[in-house]
């Protein structure tokens, strides 16, 4: 620019010149050199950048071994490319010798390699010219410490398809932004609990194999390796690095074992609260005796006896409610459990009990009520899983896995035996009013009588919110209870009292009642011998035949006869009505 400063030459024969820059506004300036102090005497233009103070915002990692060698990244603002950039450690006025820094191409960070030095926490400085380490950019601090030592690992064994959370015991642990564990060069983030304990994941080395029953309940584990460990074990070296780069020289060994597979259990179903020893059959059960083998079903755990690599004996007390439980195994003393390649055990409550089958007061529907606890509303059994034995066999636990409650009006054949459905009439339907009440709506022309019984479909209705024994058809025979008193038929004749020779004799039963939800059956009789009658026996018989022929079916409620069919005189009629309850009134 226009400013001029003195220059000191170290040599008069093509050496170097040293200039002290003046106080300049931020910007890029051309630099010229003059031996005479008047004109520029160099052949190529030179640029000098006056930049604002560096502001450091982050340091990663924030600690490393005293022996040095940790590569740190300093994130800062106001950086420009400079071959003279350097870092420095130490309190102001007590700074160590500077060391090289490389500015990133995007100008957002600088990388320095920490040299060896004394232990302790010190501010880190950054300078673009290797000279000006200003106090306002020393906002990050770096810790030098002795390399941590590791002495103990828990667990020492891990399942190949699940991995584990490792606890490393040692000394000198420091939490930094880049603390890492290494399991045979597979890195995972470390959490430093204190100076003597570190926790970090050991990722699975194999992808998960799955059983058809339980596999869908377990997600894949992140960061799983691609190694296939079908049998035996595989050892891995475990190390810790506070800076994520320089790992401890002392090492521990984690041994991966092939994940177990459970193919069957016996017994596979228990009654609630039943105490039994479960025989577990499968593969890859550990027989070395180093760690206990633990079985977990729900919240209950028990220590198993290992008979062989394919057989376990595990004591178990079933829970107090009916439930499907995934059998999980831990082969490392209860640290890690696996159930993705396993089976279900069913703890089954007692079957639901029918309290009553009551005909509604309208006699058009039947309420089948169940005693407490309520049912599962006849959860639908997926035919692919077997509609007959679903939920009754450990290999088909679809009562728990693929159920859906029957809702709305549905075909009564879902819950009633075929012979019972046939009594309900065309268009009959069923609906669960609630989990304790199944309502059966009769269709048209039902044939059900009070002496009939309904038969619930076998192995269909279970307890709600519990796995239970199914209600069996042999115990699901329902005797019908009708509301009392029973409806009594009330026959009513509608007709003119007097008709002329040109009139029709019209008879109607429309005002009759007491049909109990269906139609009444009527019977007409001409009482020719009644004291009020004036017609002969022959006339009465002929008229009787004509009237009954007009009401030949029960759905006919009105009929008319021509005057020619009606004898002259006083006629006495009697109408009798009966309902499907076999009650007859005349």
């Amino acid at each position: 620019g226009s400013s001029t400063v003195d220059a000191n030459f170290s040599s008069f024969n093509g050496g170097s010149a040293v200039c002290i820059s003046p106080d300049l506004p931020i910007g890029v300036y051309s630099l010229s050199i003059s031996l005479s102090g008047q004109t520029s005497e160099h052949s190529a233009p030179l640029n000098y950048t006056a930049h604002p103070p560096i502001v450091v915002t982050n340091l990663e990692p924030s600690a490393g071994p005293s022996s040095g060698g940790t590569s740190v990244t300093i994130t800062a603002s106001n950086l420009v490319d400079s071959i003279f950039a350097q870092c420095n450690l130490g309190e102001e006025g007590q700074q160590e010798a500077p060391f090289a820094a490389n500015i990133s191409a995007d100008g957002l960070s600088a990388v320095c390699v920490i040299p060896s030095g004394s232990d302790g926490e010190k501010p880190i400085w950054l300078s673009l010219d290797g000279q000006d380490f200003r106090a306002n950019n020393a906002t990050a601090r770096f810790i030098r410490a002795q390399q941590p030592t590791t002495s103990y690992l828990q667990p020492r064994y891990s399942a190949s398809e699940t991995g584990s959370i490792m606890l490393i015991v040692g000394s000198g642990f420091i939490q930094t932004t880049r603390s890492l564990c290494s399991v045979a060069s597979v890195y995972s983030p470390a959490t430093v609990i204190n100076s003597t304990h570190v926790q970090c994941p050991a990722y699975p080395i194999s992808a998960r194999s799955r059983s058809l029953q339980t596999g869908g309940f377990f997600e894949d584990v992140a960061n799983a390796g691609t190694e296939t460990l079908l049998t035996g074990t595989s050892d891995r070296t475990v190390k810790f690095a506070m800076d994520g780069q320089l790992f401890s020289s002392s090492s521990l060994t984690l041994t991966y074992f092939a994940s177990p597979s459970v193919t069957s259990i016996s017994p596979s179903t228990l009654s609630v609260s039943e105490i039994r020893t479960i025989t577990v059959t499968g593969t890859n059960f550990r027989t070395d005796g180093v760690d206990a083998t633990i079985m977990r079903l729900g919240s209950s755990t028990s220590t198993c006896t290992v008979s062989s690599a394919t057989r376990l004996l595990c004591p178990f007390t079933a829970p107090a409610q009916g439930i499907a439980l995934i059998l999980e195994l831990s082969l490392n003393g209860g640290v890690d459990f696996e159930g993705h390649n396993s089976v279900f055990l069913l703890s089954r409550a007692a079957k639901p009990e029918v309290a009553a089958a009551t005909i509604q007061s309208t006699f058009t529907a039947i309420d089948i009520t169940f005693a407490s606890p309520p049912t599962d509303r006849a959860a639908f059994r997926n035919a692919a899983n077997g509609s007959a034995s679903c939920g009754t066999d450990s290999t088909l636990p679809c009562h728990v896995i693929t159920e859906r409650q029957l809702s709305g009006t549905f075909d009564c054949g879902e819950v009633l035996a075929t012979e019972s459905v046939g009594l309900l009439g065309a268009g009959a339907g069923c609906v669960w009013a609630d989990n304790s009440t199944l309502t059966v709506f009769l269709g048209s022309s039902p044939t059900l009588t009070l002496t009939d019984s309904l038969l619930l479909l076998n192995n269909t209705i279970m307890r709600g919110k519990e796995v239970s024994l199914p209600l069996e058809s042999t115990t699901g025979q329902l005797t019908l209870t009708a509301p009392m008193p029973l409806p009594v038929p009330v026959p009513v004749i509608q007709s003119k009292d007097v008709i002329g020779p040109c009139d029709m004799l019209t008879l109607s039963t429309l005002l009759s009642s007491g049909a109990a939800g269906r139609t009444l059956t009527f019977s007409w009789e001409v009482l020719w011998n009644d004291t009020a009658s004036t017609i002969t026996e022959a006339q009465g018989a002929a008229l009787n035949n004509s009237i009954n022929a007009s009401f030949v079916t029960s759905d006919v409620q009105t009929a008319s006869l021509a005057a020619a069919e009606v004898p002259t005189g006083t006629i006495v009629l009697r109408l009798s009505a009966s309902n499907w309850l076999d009650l007859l009134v005349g």
Side-chain angles (χ1 to χ4, degrees), residues 60 113 115 173 229 233 251 326 373 415 442 498 514 519-520 524 555 570:
E60 187 175 314
V113 178
F173 298 132
L229 185 63
T233 60
S251 61
I326 294 175
V415 290
L442 300 178
V498 178
T519 56
L520 291 170
W524 292 88
D555 58 341
T570 300

Side-chain angles (χ1 to χ4, degrees), residues 72 107 480:
V72 299
L480 300 178

Side-chain angles (χ1 to χ4, degrees), residues 244-463:
Q245 303 170 33
L246 306 173
F247 286 86
S248 53
S249 56
S250 57
S251 61
L252 305 168
T253 299
L254 177 69
T255 299
Y256 283 96
F257 54 83
S259 287
S261 172
V262 176
T263 55
S264 65
I265 56 175
S266 180
S268 59
T269 60
L270 298 176
S271 299
V272 292
S273 304
E274 184 178 356
I275 301 174
R276 293 289 294 273
T277 294
I278 307 296
T279 299
V280 182
T281 303
T283 57
N284 291 331
F285 302 150
R286 286 178 61 191
T287 59
D288 53 34
V290 176
D291 292 321
T293 296
I294 309 294
M295 177 186 74
R296 182 169 70 186
L297 287 160
S299 60
S300 177
T301 60
S302 64
T303 301
C304 301
T305 299
V306 181
S307 296
S308 67
T310 60
R311 187 170 182 266
L312 305 174
L313 299 175
C314 310
F316 178 66
T317 300
Q321 71 174 110
I323 191 171
L325 301 170
I326 294 175
L327 188 144
E328 299 175 273
L329 287 179
S330 170
L331 304 190
N332 58 357
V335 178
D336 302 296
F337 286 88
E338 294 185 295
H340 55 278
N341 204 347
S342 188
V343 297
F344 278 94
L345 179 138
L346 299 183
S347 166
R348 297 197 298 186
K351 61 181 178 291
E353 298 293 340
V354 178
T358 306
I359 300 174
Q360 292 184 3
S361 60
T362 61
F363 285 83
T364 59
I366 302 167
D367 288 328
I368 302 173
T369 55
F370 294 83
S372 182
T375 75
D376 63 351
R377 296 196 183 194
F380 176 76
R381 271 53 166 190
N382 191 324
N385 287 333
S387 58
S389 59
C390 189
T392 64
D393 188 326
S394 65
T395 62
L396 294 169
C398 55
H399 169 69
V400 178
I401 301 172
T402 59
E403 68 175 4
R404 73 163 173 81
Q405 291 183 333
L406 293 170
S407 59
T409 302
F410 55 88
D411 182 358
C412 292
E414 294 275 9
V415 290
L416 294 178
T418 303
E419 55 267 37
S420 294
V421 175
L423 301 174
L424 304 179
C430 288
V431 64
W432 285 97
D434 53 48
N435 283 58
S436 297
T437 306
L438 172 65
T439 299
V440 180
F441 290 99
L442 300 178
S444 62
S445 303
T447 58
L448 182 73
T449 68
L450 290 181
T451 58
D452 289 322
S453 60
L454 294 179
L455 192 63
L456 289 169
L457 200 62
N458 195 34
N459 292 337
T460 298
I461 301 174
M462 301 185 186
R463 288 195 183 193

Side-chain angles (χ1 to χ4, degrees), residues 395 501 544 554 580:
T395 62
N544 193 80
S554 61
W580 66 276

